[in-house]
Amino acid sequence: MGIRVAVAGASGYAGGELLRLLAGHPEFDLVAATAHASAGRPAAAVHPQLAGLDLVFGATDPATLADADLVFLALPHGQSAALAAALPGPVKVVDLGADHRLRDADAWARYYGGDHAGAWTYGLPELPGQRAAVAGADRVASTGCYAVATTLALAPLIAAGAVFPTDVVVVAASGTSGAGRAAKPHLLGSEVMGDLSPYKVGAHQHVPEIKQATGATSLSFTPVLAPMPRGILATVTAVPTGDADPREVLAAAYADEPFVHVLPDGSWPHTAATAGGNSCHLQATVDVDSGRVIVVSAIDNLGKGAAGQAVQNANLMFGLPETTGLSTFGVAP
């Protein structure tokens, strides 16, 4: 037997992607998966892409998960903390939800509401010092999807002093899987196709996470729902402090990173190129009119934005190469 892993909340889109990645992982043995309304159903009945996976969803309770060495929590925001607290101490946990990302209790109350459960080690290994922190942690809070796309584009520029941390503007389009699997009228195909629509304008819950991770002090963030199942394309702009080439700053920061690719000059990120992989594609320039730095970032919101990122963190927690069981390449067409 390898490392025994379980997934709570496996019936959702992120949970299904986790099951797919874990089923092909050479060191992790998937021993349990849980769901709420889908408890008792075979995994393949909920996720047809997993045909042949011999797994039946159990009820989401600590007893179902307690025998695992590692538990992934792919639950709605606000539901992870209580379940994690009920798991035995030796069990390592990676939370894909927001419950343990924020250090500031006031920010949690403002954007999420309810009691703040406390911060865990933040699970973005590409940030300075975080790889070692994740490797030494038993509890890791994986990133939000918009947060990772924006943070990877912005954090090195602020850290290098190439842009001011104030007046950062982000417009990011996401596929519909980012809104979860629950049936909602505004996510029906006939409502989404042929349409782009902003939502949570001026008050998206990933704002405090992005500020915490990047060092930005003021951030205007506008998310846009796009008529595609998966992917995020984020356009991040900031005011330069001088004449530093933003692309060179990013290339230096990510020169040795397996999952972050600064594209060649003249090539711009697009979401299809990252679909199914755990990569982030970046490109940067300076606007010839405004002088603002522009960075465009593309990820698969279910990959580097959720399940892939969680597996990357788990690999580090168990001393495995962080690329184990993960692809740096997308699936096309």
Side-chain angles (χ1 to χ4, degrees):
M1 291 291 290
I3 299 163
R4 296 166 56 85
V5 300
V7 178
S11 59
Y13 289 130
E17 186 72 351
L18 264 175
L19 296 181
R20 183 181 75 86
L21 294 175
L22 294 172
H25 197 286
E27 302 294 338
F28 292 154
D29 288 337
L30 182 60
V31 297
T34 75
H36 289 288
S38 295
R41 298 181 67 191
V46 178
H47 301 293
Q49 73 273 24
L50 302 179
L53 181 63
D54 185 17
L55 184 71
V56 175
F57 290 150
T60 302
D61 59 55
T64 308
L65 306 166
D67 288 337
D69 302 308
L70 166 71
V71 173
F72 293 97
L73 302 179
L75 300 169
H77 300 316
Q79 295 185 18
S80 296
L83 182 58
L87 293 173
V91 177
K92 295 187 178 185
V93 182
V94 177
D95 185 9
L96 280 73
D99 292 33
H100 301 283
R101 293 175 190 157
L102 300 182
R103 295 191 294 266
D104 186 342
D106 291 337
W108 173 267
R110 181 180 183 187
Y111 283 89
Y112 292 95
D115 295 332
H116 182 234
W120 290 355
T121 299
Y122 188 60
L124 185 53
E126 290 83 4
L127 289 177
Q130 286 306 109
R131 180 167 281 109
V134 170
D138 291 331
R139 298 285 190 273
V140 170
S142 214
T143 60
C145 53
Y146 282 125
V148 67
T150 302
T151 297
L152 291 174
L154 180 62
L157 298 173
I158 292 178
V163 300
F164 289 102
T166 56
D167 192 22
V168 176
V169 178
V170 181
V171 178
S174 174
T176 55
S177 60
R181 200 172 188 181
K184 301 172 185 176
H186 73 284
L187 296 178
L188 293 171
S190 56
E191 301 291 336
V192 173
M193 288 187 295
D195 188 36
L196 289 169
S197 56
Y199 64 99
K200 295 186 179 179
V201 178
H204 194 275
Q205 66 269 19
H206 286 178
V207 167
E209 180 184 348
I210 294 168
K211 292 172 69 177
Q212 175 181 286
T214 63
T217 56
S218 77
L219 176 69
S220 173
F221 180 74
T222 303
V224 177
L225 184 67
M228 58 187 187
R230 59 201 291 169
I232 287 178
L233 189 75
T235 301
V236 181
T237 76
V239 178
T241 60
D243 297 327
D245 184 330
R247 186 184 175 280
E248 290 183 1
V249 173
L250 293 174
Y254 297 125
D256 298 320
E257 291 295 341
F259 294 121
V260 184
H261 306 292
V262 180
L263 301 182
D265 279 325
S267 180
W268 287 91
H270 53 107
T271 57
T274 64
N278 193 51
S279 292
C280 175
H281 291 183
L282 298 171
Q283 185 59 277
T285 192
V286 176
D287 190 291
V288 297
D289 184 68
S290 69
R292 291 179 71 91
V293 169
I294 303 173
V295 185
V296 176
S297 171
I299 65 168
D300 182 341
N301 63 294
L302 295 179
K304 186 62 174 165
Q309 179 88 306
V311 172
Q312 183 182 350
N313 287 322
N315 285 337
L316 288 167
M317 293 167 75
F318 282 90
L320 303 172
E322 65 191 274
T323 56
T324 306
L326 296 170
S327 176
T328 61
F329 304 122
V331 178

